[in-house]
Amino acid sequence: MTEAAKGAEPDCDVVVIGAGFAGLYAVHKFSTLGFKVVAFEKGADVGGVWYWNRYPGARCDCESYYYSYSFSPELQQDWNWSLRYSEQPEILNYLSHVADKFALRRHYRFSTAVTGLTYDDRTQRWTVEGSDGRRVSARFVVSAMGCLSQMQRPNIAGLDNFTGETLFTAAWPHGGYDFTGKRVAVIGTGASGVQAISRIGRSAKHLTVFQRTANWVVPVWNGPMSAEFNRWVKEHYGDIRARCRTSQGGVPFEPAQVAALDLDEKTRQATLEKYWERGGTQFFSAFTDAFSNIEANEVVAEFVRAYIRRVVHDPKVAETLIPTDHPVGTKRPPMDDDYYETYNRPNVTLVNLRETPIVGFDASAIRTGAASYDIDVLVLATGFDAMTGALLAVDVKGKNGKRLGDVWAEGPQSYLGLGVAGFPNLFTVTGPLSPSVLANMPTAVEQHVDWIADCLSYLKAHDIKSIEATPDAQKEWTEHSDMVASQSLYPRANSWYLGSNIPGKPRRFGVYIGGFSNYSQRCEAVAQNGYDGFVLH
Ligand code: NA7
């Protein structure tokens, strides 16, 4: 790059950050509407979380026929999924196909992270700085950086002493990794760890799982996408997508309408069996009161406990795998078909870090208070700085030079998870306090991007240069979101939804759990009322 090019500030209408589901659709939508778009992506190609999380067993916990875009009827008719719940390589291929089909890569600067966003009050534009030192000036910035993209490096004493291979599930080597003949340790039993553990257990010479907190894991009963089901889906896509848009979870099915506590024991068990057979997230929608009433939650929890005790041969191992510190479903429940069975394998050992914490590492071993475990490979499935981490990793300076990190010092505040007071013309796709991770992500992404696109078109048509959430609207929404969360059982778990997996992070429930459909109706009403709650200049 020449010095002249470096530091140049070409103009565009919109900068989009990210090339996952959200970023790709945003680039497609805005450019189709005639906006000049420049997009940044820190990875070398498209995919977002599906670009980075290539660990064995990485798979989506929503079924692919609805964990996919709805915006192009042609795309949804042409693309065929091989599994009900697709694995990472297939989802990445899908996103790559979308990028090809709609010629999206031409808008991107790949291998370029955004490092700074600075708003100029006078010009009402953002200066976007990339990790290559180049800058772009944009009227609008749309952050599509994802809710779970800022990987957490755990602060475990002595970790640097380990000289063997260390792999992060969230930054997996592109060529894959062969565990054959290797002694492997996995730290982390969240959704990533759980998926990786059952796969690694099949090939490693020995696998030792270091569990700090047991999680409630439910099966999805994954299997091939049969030709018959594929045909049915394609014939009914209009209806399936409409149901996603009008449901409270962004999915094509509604939760049951019956409370566990209104049923007799026999009917409860029969209901749970039925929903267990459906598997995955559907299991958690068996009752209306499972997430609001601890007694009802306990009914569900006891069902899963009994399952774990049935499947795991060693009773002591089974008890270690049963969560004791949070109601079922209140931490993101991992989903896997072989997880509990994995602990019956002779080559798999479970270590309970609550009983015997890690005290240090040697060059080729992990030491706990009770034993030393020789290993060749360490796999860290230790999670993300969720919801806010990716955006706060950027130096975001809004009006009057105010930093987003300072505004969010006590926890994220936002209006509808779309905008933040003091940061005009900055939109966050599936931002904090929107339904995001508790809705089906592609449905949530399309709703946000469509809303933002309509907003940009409205501003253009009315020659308006800036839009900004008002402090009052933001306060009302943040309090509403807090209130809805507080009426549920979710805050009883120390989870990444609350930020409690990150040392020192302020606790605020980062997801709006009032329902996707209710939420999108509110967004619609705001737009119809001339962007009620926003100031337009
Ligand atoms: P999660 O769900 O945050 O899981 C991280 C796991 O790592 C969890 O079991 C943690 O235990 C464990 N962890 C984190 N730090 C440590 C240290 N220092 N020592 C021991 N164990 C530790 O992340 P995932 O990647 O699995 O899943 C994130 C989401 O991505 C997932 O829910 C899907 O939506 C996709 P803890 O529970 O904190 O005791």
Side-chain angles (χ1 to χ4, degrees), residues 110-123:
F110 288 108
S111 304
T112 313
V114 168
T115 54
L117 289 173
T118 308
Y119 188 72
D120 184 328
D121 303 286
R122 191 181 49 81
T123 60

Side-chain angles (χ1 to χ4, degrees), residues 3-324:
E3 276 310 304
K6 198 168 178 173
E9 294 192 25
D11 276 1
C12 70
D13 299 313
V14 195
V15 156
V16 172
I17 315 173
F21 267 92
L24 289 177
Y25 180 50
V27 166
H28 170 66
K29 182 87 188 185
F30 304 151
S31 56
T32 306
L33 287 171
F35 292 103
K36 186 179 171 200
V37 180
V38 173
F40 288 79
E41 166 54 53
K42 72 176 173 190
D45 199 0
V46 300
V49 294
W50 301 108
Y51 174 88
W52 297 101
N53 291 264
R54 295 167 186 245
Y55 59 85
R59 199 204 57 238
C60 185
D61 290 335
C62 286
E63 289 186 73
S64 300
Y65 76 90
Y66 60 86
Y67 184 84
S68 51
Y69 290 120
S70 74
F71 71 85
S72 164
E74 192 185 299
L75 171 69
Q76 68 186 10
Q77 289 302 325
D78 289 353
W79 185 265
N80 293 307
W81 298 103
S82 66
L83 293 171
R84 296 281 293 249
Y85 295 85
S86 293
E87 300 204 339
Q88 175 271 336
E90 196 165 352
I91 302 175
L92 187 61
N93 279 346
Y94 171 76
L95 291 172
S96 181
H97 170 74
V98 169
D100 286 342
K101 185 174 174 70
F102 300 100
L104 303 178
R105 284 187 178 86
R106 67 200 156 108
H107 297 283
Y108 274 93
R109 296 183 180 181
F110 288 108
S111 304
T112 313
V114 168
T115 54
L117 289 173
T118 308
Y119 188 72
D120 184 328
D121 303 286
R122 191 181 49 81
T123 60
Q124 298 171 292
R125 297 181 69 86
W126 286 93
T127 299
V128 182
E129 181 147 359
S131 51
D132 58 358
R134 286 159 67 193
R135 292 194 289 267
V136 175
S137 163
R139 173 73 63 206
F140 302 100
V141 172
V142 175
S143 164
M145 286 193 273
C147 302
L148 293 151
S149 47
Q150 190 66 21
M151 186 179 90
Q152 188 191 192
R153 288 172 192 277
N155 185 11
I156 308 179
L159 186 55
D160 291 345
N161 296 338
F162 179 66
T163 55
E165 192 92 46
T166 301
L167 305 173
F168 287 87
T169 48
W172 202 257
H174 281 209
Y177 193 86
D178 183 4
F179 289 98
T180 314
K182 300 267 167 61
R183 296 162 304 175
V184 186
V186 174
I187 298 180
T189 50
S192 306
V194 160
Q195 290 182 337
I197 284 163
S198 41
R199 287 297 166 89
I200 296 171
R202 289 182 206 166
S203 57
K205 181 175 172 197
H206 197 90
L207 167 64
T208 309
V209 176
F210 292 83
Q211 172 190 280
R212 187 164 69 180
T213 308
N215 253 319
W216 303 96
V217 181
V218 298
V220 294
W221 314 118
N222 200 11
M225 184 84 181
S226 70
E228 192 191 349
F229 186 56
N230 193 27
R231 205 173 317 111
W232 182 88
V233 163
K234 292 193 178 189
E235 279 167 13
H236 293 85
Y237 248 138
D239 182 43
I240 290 166
R241 301 301 193 185
R243 281 156 162 266
C244 287
R245 282 190 281 269
T246 53
S247 78
Q248 299 299 5
V251 289
F253 32 80
E254 279 297 344
Q257 297 301 318
V258 51
L261 298 187
D262 290 343
L263 300 176
D264 61 50
E265 183 55 24
K266 198 165 158 227
T267 318
R268 274 182 198 160
Q269 289 308 312
T271 307
L272 282 166
E273 291 288 354
K274 189 170 88 182
Y275 279 81
W276 186 257
E277 284 308 312
R278 292 183 186 174
T281 52
Q282 288 203 61
F283 172 66
F284 293 99
S285 58
F287 304 122
T288 50
D289 48 356
F291 287 88
S292 56
N293 182 305
I294 192 68
E295 272 178 70
N297 187 280
E298 180 53 27
V299 170
V300 182
E302 187 51 31
F303 184 90
V304 186
R305 268 184 219 118
Y307 176 80
I308 299 171
R309 289 181 182 130
R310 251 191 340 268
V311 169
V312 179
H313 297 163
D314 182 332
K316 185 163 186 299
V317 174
E319 291 314 306
T320 306
L321 288 167
I322 293 174
T324 52

Side-chain angles (χ1 to χ4, degrees), residues 414-417 432-435 472-482 512 519 522:
S414 85
Y415 183 36
L416 299 169
L433 315 189
S434 76
D472 284 349
Q474 174 168 286
K475 184 166 181 289
E476 179 270 328
W477 182 255
T478 303
E479 286 174 358
H480 171 62
S481 181
D482 284 351
Y512 178 63
Y519 168 83
R522 170 83 191 257

